[in-house]
Amino acid sequence: MNGAPSLITTYEVPSGGLGLKGPVAKPAPGTLPLRGDLAHIALAGTHLAAHYVIPHERFVGPDGVAVMENTRDDSPQITRFEPGTRIEVLDVAGDWVWGCLGPQGPSGYMKASALAD
């Protein structure tokens, strides 16, 4: 929200050798901020994705927001974030953003219009 202090964690690319060290169980939808094409930078040392992103801080607007499994209004709802909740946005696609509360989730798609300016 405007005037609110930034509380975002600073994320950096993990140092040292990154590599797959064995199989990793695929997380359930809506848990870790991990898709096949994109993942939260904090997961770079443990999960494989084509790209990793450092999140941008945003806040949920006054009406709260439903967090959905995908970008359809009839998609299963994963959870709901209350007004003023700080979120980490990882991707923006038209009317939707994909984000999370942090690298441990929960994560999902939210209407961009439900976020505060």
Side-chain angles (χ1 to χ4, degrees):
M1 302 206 161
N2 291 342
S6 177
L7 303 173
I8 194 147
T9 303
T10 301
Y11 297 106
E12 297 183 17
V13 176
S15 62
L18 298 177
L20 297 177
K21 312 233 184 328
V24 175
K26 183 178 179 180
T31 56
L32 295 181
L34 172 69
R35 303 185 319 206
D37 65 329
L38 192 66
H40 194 293
I41 188 66
L43 301 179
T46 58
H47 293 79
L48 179 64
H51 303 280
Y52 299 93
V53 70
I54 296 173
H56 293 276
E57 178 184 77
R58 294 288 302 272
F59 290 88
V60 175
D63 297 326
V65 66
V67 181
M68 311 299 277
E69 195 170 299
N70 56 53
T71 58
R72 288 193 337 259
D73 290 327
D74 63 349
S75 170
Q77 184 173 324
I78 294 167
T79 190
R80 180 170 181 76
F81 294 156
E82 296 304 316
T85 301
R86 182 187 64 84
I87 63 166
E88 297 181 357
V89 173
L90 302 167
D91 192 20
V92 178
D95 295 337
W96 296 88
V97 300
W98 180 60
C100 59
L101 291 182
Q104 298 308 311
S107 66
Y109 294 90
M110 297 157 264
K111 289 284 193 164
S113 60
L115 303 181
D117 290 328

